[in-house]
Amino acid sequence: MQRRHFLSCLAAVASGHTLAADLKPIGKPQAFDYAWLKGQARALGARPYQAPRSTLPKGLDNLDWDQYQSIRFRKERALWRDDALRFQAQFFHLGLFFKSPVRLYEVDGGQAQEIAYDPALFDHSDSGVPAGSLPADLGFAGFRLNFHTDLQRDIAAFLGASYFRAVGGEWQYGQSARGLAIDSGMNRPEEFPNFVAYWLEKPTKQSNTLAVYGLLDSPSVAGAYRFLITPGDTQVMDIDAALYPRKSIERLGIAPCTSMFQFGENDKRMANDWRPEIHDTDGLQMWTGNGEWIWRPLTNPAHLRFNAFADNNPRGFGLLQRDRDFDHYQDDGVFYDKRPCLWVEPKAGWGAGSVQLIEIPTIDETFDNIVAFWNPATKPQAGQELLFGYRLHWGAHPPARPPLAECVATRTGIGGIVGQPRKYFSWRFAVDFAGGDFSLIGKDAKVEPVIWASRGKVEITSARPLHSVNGWRAMFDLRPIDDSTQPIDLRLYLQCDGQPLTETWLYQWNPPPPAERKFA
């Protein structure tokens, strides 16, 4: 990002545009629109990759988390602070994990003006970093956005590689999105593309939508992004992405969602904390091209787990935090019960491919270990232009929900019949559903579970009303029939006289080694 070669084709245009007060400009204003940015990304993708600067000046290179957090942008110098607009922008300082600078621009009337880094924009007093020692061309790490309804809290933040986060009406950050994922979950290091520059377009006075543009770069691909950001109880980001691969990409991840799951009702492998559950999200929701609704509870596996759910023109998918009961978390510091769901809605047909889910073992809630994204069936090749349009919805509930009953809880534990000696090892699954058409079910109606397992014996099946959630509970045991510890895939839904009543519940379970299959 020290380089300027991706701007070499841009001709300077004389104009009367001036940068917002208190912010210093670099160079002259220059013409800008999304078509131009796509051209720059195409040209960048045709050239060999050049890695960005990734070393920090002395003083910034050894900050701990608290020191970095103490470097604060001076709010009185926010972009558009004095313009009576509904949006303002503040900038992040380099340091800690954020070593590569990004270039920031303001766009006003079709003219882009680069914003210069200035140590005076930040309060360094509690960090131990002498502001006077920092170079004038240091650059920024990213930016955050504020909306006029509450200028004390962020609505979104773009910081680190191609990561960004947003909030809904509960004002709680949680999972992150990314511009792109490359080779996630493979047997080689993942490639993390970077947004190397952002353009923030000055909105009109009455606009509730802000346009942000990003130039993405990595060894495998360059890309141009447009974000139309509209705050609300559910915040919507309308995104267009144009990608220009430098080479063939084995696993391309479109609209990646990144989250954390340490343990929950269904998976207590790492449940060594005083809190009952720790997770940003508890499941992957999918609405397939043929109209099926699927819920896949998340787990914290002992080994990396990869699943691909084949589809054609998906209608949507996302990582959701369905369980929003504070009592289930008891965390009054980070409020897992308020973490936003993130729903991906394709704007046009994406063709054949798969929603892919990666679950990585974690022992700590500070590490994101869950990734979900769309992977096209056809591998990208050098010289192509790939266009993807989609909307991201951040909020307590996704905008599209199944017309059928939803899974509201998954619990697992030792199988068998209470009060009777167990003669062999089995594992119990209790799956609760609520909503949908359960209100139509009379006392004489026959509701039954439809269960499929890729291996093992399904036994002790049942379905019965669960009045505490105004729904039904399906239960069954799974008995391993061999010594394998390889995953077993499970599929379940409830029906009445052949009519599905619930979405489809999917699960993947690893039987323990034979020596650990205790049942007495």
Side-chain angles (χ1 to χ4, degrees):
M1 283 160 286
Q2 291 295 300
R3 63 194 185 278
R4 295 175 179 266
H5 63 256
F6 65 84
L7 294 175
S8 60
C9 298
L10 184 63
V13 179
S15 79
H17 171 68
T18 58
L19 199 61
D22 292 333
L23 297 176
K24 298 177 182 179
I26 296 177
K28 297 180 180 180
Q30 298 176 321
F32 177 87
D33 61 18
Y34 185 50
W36 173 85
L37 183 60
K38 288 196 292 183
Q40 295 304 296
R42 183 193 297 273
L44 185 60
R47 293 193 289 271
Y49 175 70
Q50 295 185 27
R53 187 189 82 202
S54 59
T55 57
L56 293 171
K58 187 176 181 180
L60 291 176
D61 57 354
N62 59 356
L63 297 179
D64 62 27
W65 175 253
D66 290 334
Q67 288 174 311
Y68 177 73
Q69 288 289 92
S70 73
I71 302 177
R72 300 190 178 277
F73 187 84
R74 299 184 186 277
K75 294 182 178 181
E76 67 273 14
R77 303 189 69 174
L79 182 63
W80 307 318
R81 171 87 176 189
D82 300 322
D83 294 326
L85 304 178
R86 294 182 177 174
F87 291 90
Q88 293 181 19
Q90 301 178 41
F91 310 141
F92 288 110
H93 204 282
L94 288 170
L96 194 62
F97 313 122
F98 313 109
K99 304 177 185 296
S100 298
V102 298
R103 304 174 70 178
L104 299 180
Y105 298 79
E106 180 193 28
V107 179
D108 187 3
Q111 303 294 306
Q113 176 71 69
E114 185 171 2
I115 302 170
Y117 168 79
D118 181 355
L121 294 173
F122 297 89
D123 179 357
H124 302 81
S125 57
D126 294 331
S127 68
V129 177
S133 68
L134 298 175
D137 62 348
L138 179 63
F140 301 101
F143 65 94
R144 56 161 59 102
L145 298 174
N146 301 93
F147 195 54
H148 71 107
T149 55
D150 188 341
L151 292 173
Q152 300 304 311
R153 294 184 286 182
D154 308 349
I155 59 163
F158 290 69
L159 177 65
S162 68
Y163 284 86
F164 55 97
R165 301 192 297 170
V167 302
E170 293 184 296
W171 291 95
Q172 180 66 51
Y173 278 132
Q175 64 178 304
S176 301
R178 283 191 266 170
L180 202 64
I182 296 178
D183 293 342
S184 297
M186 302 188 72
N187 59 357
R188 58 177 181 268
E190 181 175 355
E191 182 177 311
F192 288 91
N194 292 300
F195 278 121
V196 298
Y198 291 105
W199 288 258
L200 285 66
E201 186 168 18
K202 187 175 183 178
T204 60
K205 286 188 179 296
Q206 301 302 315
S207 178
N208 290 335
T209 298
L210 176 67
V212 172
Y213 304 84
L215 180 66
L216 180 139
D217 198 17
S218 81
S220 297
V221 65
Y225 284 71
R226 175 173 57 197
F227 301 81
L228 301 179
I229 301 171
T230 306
D233 190 57
T234 296
Q235 182 172 172
V236 179
M237 294 182 176
D238 191 305
I239 300 174
D240 289 297
L243 304 176
Y244 303 93
R246 289 186 168 94
K247 59 184 180 181
S248 176
I249 300 174
E250 178 69 18
R251 182 178 291 169
L252 181 69
I254 302 298
C257 311
T258 303
S259 182
M260 179 277 298
F261 183 96
Q262 186 175 345
F263 62 89
E265 294 165 336
N266 61 302
D267 181 0
K268 297 187 178 296
R269 186 181 70 85
M270 294 305 302
N272 56 4
D273 194 273
W274 64 271
R275 293 162 291 180
E277 299 186 43
I278 297 177
H279 50 78
D280 286 331
T281 53
D282 52 13
L284 169 65
Q285 173 89 73
M286 291 172 280
W287 187 14
T288 69
N290 65 9
E292 183 179 16
W293 286 90
I294 296 172
W295 176 251
R296 164 62 156 77
L298 298 177
T299 63
N300 180 4
H303 306 284
L304 185 146
R305 179 178 288 171
F306 171 82
N307 283 270
F309 306 95
D311 201 359
N312 201 326
N313 294 323
R315 302 185 188 189
F317 68 92
L319 294 175
L320 310 186
Q321 184 76 314
R322 275 189 176 172
D323 187 345
R324 310 195 73 79
D325 187 335
F326 173 81
D327 189 53
H328 294 178
Y329 304 93
Q330 285 296 320
D331 195 315
D332 58 352
V334 297
F335 296 101
Y336 286 116
D337 56 301
K338 296 183 179 180
R339 297 295 171 111
C341 302
L342 178 53
W343 181 253
V344 180
E345 175 196 0
K347 292 195 290 185
W350 282 359
S354 59
V355 175
Q356 299 191 350
L357 174 66
I358 299 168
E359 297 164 297
I360 304 169
T362 186
I363 61 173
D364 194 301
E365 64 193 286
T366 62
F367 291 94
D368 287 339
N369 65 319
I370 306 294
V371 186
F373 51 78
W374 173 256
N375 176 244
T378 303
K379 292 181 174 58
Q381 303 297 320
Q384 288 183 316
E385 179 184 61
L386 307 174
L387 302 177
F388 292 92
Y390 54 98
R391 297 181 186 91
L392 298 182
H393 302 263
W394 307 78
H397 304 285
R401 302 181 69 172
L404 304 170
E406 297 179 341
C407 175
V408 295
T410 299
R411 297 177 176 87
T412 70
I414 192 70
I417 299 175
V418 176
Q420 296 186 14
R422 297 184 178 90
K423 298 180 180 180
Y424 52 81
F425 174 83
S426 63
W427 202 246
R428 171 68 49 86
F429 294 85
V431 184
D432 298 345
F433 296 94
D437 293 328
F438 282 146
S439 60
L440 301 179
I441 302 299
K443 64 179 182 178
D444 297 326
K446 184 179 180 181
V447 175
E448 56 185 356
V450 179
I451 306 168
W452 173 86
S454 63
R455 197 173 73 251
K457 182 179 180 181
V458 174
E459 55 189 23
I460 317 181
T461 65
S462 67
R464 60 178 183 267
L466 188 63
H467 299 298
S468 62
V469 297
N470 294 319
W472 283 67
R473 171 172 288 173
M475 297 183 69
F476 67 94
D477 284 3
L478 181 64
R479 176 184 177 185
I481 58 175
D482 54 37
D483 291 342
S484 174
T485 60
Q486 292 301 304
I488 297 176
D489 293 312
L490 301 169
R491 184 180 180 94
L492 160 73
Y493 66 92
L494 295 181
Q495 69 172 13
C496 179
D497 296 328
Q499 176 186 344
L501 298 173
T502 70
E503 64 185 353
T504 301
W505 173 89
L506 298 183
Y507 204 79
Q508 193 170 75
W509 178 64
N510 285 78
E516 298 178 14
R517 297 180 186 181
K518 300 176 181 180
F519 54 87

